């Protein structure tokens, strides 16, 4: 089972690493990294990954996962990447995204007429790609699964593991990575936050690190 993650400069690390920890452990799975040009990729916080295969080397996948970024606009304007996403989607059993990775699926034309979610700060941006925005931790529509912001990717990966293998395997994976979230605060969604917290969250997003050089 080939599971391909699209890595790119400026991506948010946890969008990909959370699902990687789950999906790469599936029995019989081979998880692979692909990036537009191959080689080294630097995330939005400067964490770097080496040895990504160039997307031109990968022609198919059973699962495609696209993480998001603080500023995903460069990818939305990259015709070569969008062509590749469409081509890989034609071969997949599941095409997935985390956070603003949904906007990449949208720009590739894969969300038209579908329900989808993404990070709360850009949820309405799905409309211009023909999708129906849904405020949810995860949304499944056909073979496309979109997850909300950052940490929601772990939830999505566990749900996907249940479909690719079985619920017992998925729950065993959850246990193996000791994913038993008990956050110290209950402010992980706009509906649970005060106006002060929401404004501070928007400010933190606005002041996120600039997209690093590769």
């Amino acid at each position: 089972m080939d599971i391909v993650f699209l890595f790119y400069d400026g991506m948010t690390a946890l969008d990909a690493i959370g699902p990687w920890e789950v999906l790469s452990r599936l029995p019989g799975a081979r998880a692979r990294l692909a990036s537009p040009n191959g080689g080294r990729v630097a995330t939005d916080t400067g964490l770097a990954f080496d040895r990504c295969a160039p997307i031109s080397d990968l022609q198919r996948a059973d699962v495609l996962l696209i993480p998001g970024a603080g500023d995903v606009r460069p990818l939305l304007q990259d015709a070569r990447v969008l062509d590749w996403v469409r081509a890989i989607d034609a071969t997949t059993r599941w095409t997935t995204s985390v956070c603003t990775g949904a906007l990449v699926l949208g720009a590739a034309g894969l969300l038209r007429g579908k329900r989808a979610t993404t990070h709360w700060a850009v949820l309405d941006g799905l409309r211009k790609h023909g999708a129906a925005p849904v405020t949810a931790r995860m949304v499944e529509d056909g073979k496309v699964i979109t997850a909300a912001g950052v940490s929601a990717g772990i939830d999505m990966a566990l749900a996907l593991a249940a479909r690719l293998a079985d619920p017992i395997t998925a729950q065993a994976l959850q246990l193996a990575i000791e994913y038993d979230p008990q956050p110290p605060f209950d402010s992980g969604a706009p509906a649970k936050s005060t106006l002060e917290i929401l404004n501070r969250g928007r400010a933190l997003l606005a002041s996120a690190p600039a997209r690093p050089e590769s």
Side-chain angles (χ1 to χ4, degrees):
M1 184 192 311
D2 275 320
I3 303 174
V4 174
F5 289 69
L6 176 63
F7 276 32
Y8 54 95
D9 282 331
M11 61 175 259
T12 299
L14 186 59
D15 284 7
I17 298 306
W20 178 279
E21 286 295 331
V22 174
L23 298 175
S24 66
R25 298 173 189 267
L26 275 172
R30 176 176 63 167
R32 296 194 283 174
L33 306 182
S35 66
N37 299 308
R40 182 177 181 274
V41 163
T43 71
D44 54 4
T45 56
L47 186 64
F49 296 91
D50 293 321
R51 301 181 183 177
C52 295
I55 57 175
S56 58
D57 285 359
L58 298 175
Q59 308 300 322
R60 64 165 305 281
D62 295 300
V63 177
L64 173 64
L65 188 144
I66 302 179
D71 182 2
V72 77
R73 288 173 297 180
L75 218 58
L76 304 184
Q77 299 163 5
D78 191 327
R80 183 170 61 99
V81 169
L82 298 181
D83 286 345
W84 178 81
V85 169
R86 282 188 286 266
I88 292 295
D89 172 72
T91 74
T92 63
R93 291 170 58 188
W94 297 98
T95 295
T96 70
S97 66
V98 179
C99 197
T100 56
L103 299 179
V104 179
L105 295 183
L110 302 180
L111 296 183
R112 292 193 189 101
K114 292 186 178 295
R115 298 165 64 252
T117 193
T118 185
H119 192 284
W120 57 266
V122 296
L123 189 62
D124 282 345
L126 291 171
R127 296 185 192 280
K128 73 176 183 180
H129 298 297
V134 178
T135 301
R137 190 78 170 159
M138 182 189 84
V139 174
E140 180 180 340
D141 193 328
K143 72 170 188 176
V144 176
I145 305 179
T146 52
V150 193
S151 64
I154 301 174
D155 294 5
M156 184 271 289
L158 288 167
L160 183 57
R163 289 157 177 73
L164 293 170
D166 56 77
I168 296 298
T169 297
Q171 290 173 78
L173 286 167
Q174 180 177 357
L175 176 61
I177 65 172
E178 202 168 350
Y179 181 54
D180 185 23
Q182 300 174 43
F185 307 107
D186 190 21
S187 58
K192 299 178 178 182
S193 301
T194 65
L195 181 59
E196 180 182 8
I197 293 170
L198 187 60
N199 287 339
R200 183 71 61 87
R202 292 187 183 281
L204 288 170
L205 289 172
S207 63
R211 182 171 172 265
E213 297 297 326
S214 59

